[in-house]
Amino acid sequence: MVLDALTIRQNYLKVLEQIYQAALRSGRDPSQIRLVVVTKGQPIEAIRAVVEAGAKLLGENYPEEALPKIEALQDYPVEWHMIGHLQSRKAKLVAQYFDWFEALDSVRLAQKLERILSEQGRRLPVLLEFNVGGEESKSGWKAESSETWPALLSEIELILNTCPHLDVRGIMTMPPLTEDPHRARQYFAHSRHLRDFLARAFPNASWGELSMGTSVDFPLAIEEGATIVRVGQAILGPRPYP
Ligand SMILES: *Cc1c(COP(=O)(O)O)cnc(C)c1O
């Protein structure tokens, strides 16, 4: 079922209000938090409705699914964020059509993107993805235990030093879904500590962005420091094409 444009608009405004309230609760400036509306599995008319309502950042997980949408909405001033795991044979699509890549998870992929971007003479803002919950199904560098963080530094350093066309801005995490707000908060705080650890290790790079929080938990993520939240179903409804 696709939601009608009025409902999508109301949902969008309600999420903006919740972002605003969560920011105020935690003494943060609401303008420092950005909303990526996750449009995977949603048809063009739903996406157009949320863009007409004011959405500026859109998130997709699969390049092939995103391309027709990017094309159909090219007259709107929107930024497309690739938020899903990227197979390296599709790196070119992301380098060409997306404005941000939030799920960089290996040196190999970084170097492939670097080659393509340097040919295009283009820099791409990226976030490094970390797996903070230890789930096998999730991608990202494994970062469940802070004791293993130092072992990640050499790969991150390699990316920072050898990929000048990747504009590293921070990190992204997708913690395990949990009904327990206390646990969710712990995963978000853990993500923030990891970001702070990287910022101390590489003070010359930029680590300002912390992308975390989805429909079920974005207010908590904001209270724990998220600068980007990625919200789909709370705005666009259940995905008609999962
Ligand atoms: C699908 C997805 C989201 C959004 O999830 P919703 O439940 O629709 O809010 C956020 N981040 C990633 C990486 C996703 O794959």
Side-chain angles (χ1 to χ4, degrees):
M1 188 195 73
V2 180
L3 297 184
D4 62 88
L6 181 60
T7 306
I8 288 174
R9 182 187 178 80
Q10 285 168 342
N11 289 345
Y12 172 70
L13 295 175
K14 186 168 160 214
V15 166
L16 285 187
E17 175 64 20
Q18 287 175 293
I19 290 172
Y20 188 83
Q21 293 300 340
L24 292 191
R25 266 201 304 282
S26 44
R28 302 184 56 203
D29 175 356
S31 72
Q32 299 305 302
I33 296 149
R34 292 187 295 159
L35 167 63
V36 171
V37 179
V38 177
T39 53
K40 65 164 179 249
Q42 298 285 352
I44 303 278
E45 61 269 27
I47 307 173
R48 185 174 280 118
V50 78
V51 169
E52 299 268 354
K56 292 280 182 284
L57 313 181
L58 305 177
E60 284 280 337
N61 291 54
Y62 308 100
E64 277 101 342
E65 180 188 334
L67 289 196
K69 298 175 180 179
I70 294 174
E71 193 149 273
L73 295 166
Q74 61 188 346
D75 292 336
Y76 292 92
V78 292
E79 241 179 40
W80 291 90
H81 287 222
M82 170 65 181
I83 63 172
H85 172 70
L86 177 61
Q87 294 168 288
S88 79
R89 63 194 166 84
K90 297 185 187 153
K92 196 163 193 168
L93 295 177
V94 169
Q96 232 165 352
Y97 295 102
F98 281 82
D99 302 292
W100 275 67
F101 177 38
E102 296 202 16
L104 181 61
D105 60 4
S106 76
V107 172
R108 202 173 92 91
L109 179 58
Q111 291 179 337
K112 173 118 192 228
L113 282 165
E114 172 61 27
R115 276 196 302 280
I116 299 165
L117 290 162
S118 72
E119 276 165 25
Q120 297 175 344
R122 173 167 185 233
R123 282 192 98 207
L124 184 68
V126 300
L127 302 180
L128 307 180
E129 181 177 4
F130 292 91
N131 179 345
V132 291
E135 295 165 291
E136 284 304 322
S137 60
K138 299 266 170 80
S139 40
W141 278 277
K142 293 203 188 329
E144 190 182 4
S145 156
S146 55
E147 281 158 31
T148 65
W149 291 353
L152 301 170
L153 294 179
S154 61
E155 292 204 354
I156 311 297
E157 183 168 28
L158 194 58
I159 292 173
L160 293 172
N161 287 343
T162 64
C163 302
H165 293 82
L166 296 182
D167 182 7
V168 175
R169 304 277 186 94
I171 74 169
M172 184 269 247
T173 65
M174 182 88 177
L177 281 183
T178 161
E179 300 280 300
D180 175 1
H182 178 69
R183 287 208 67 199
R185 193 182 281 284
Q186 283 178 328
Y187 284 122
F188 292 136
H190 190 63
S191 304
R192 186 184 71 241
H193 296 148
L194 170 60
R195 190 275 308 271
D196 294 346
F197 168 80
L198 294 169
R200 280 194 302 279
F202 303 110
N204 294 330
S206 140
W207 298 100
E209 303 288 355
L210 183 51
S211 175
M212 59 186 189
T214 66
S215 289
V216 291
D217 51 18
F218 68 92
L220 270 180
I222 290 168
E223 289 179 29
E224 293 301 328
T227 61
I228 297 176
V229 291
R230 310 179 307 268
V231 180
Q233 301 181 76
I235 297 171
L236 299 171
R239 289 179 261 282
Y241 321 111

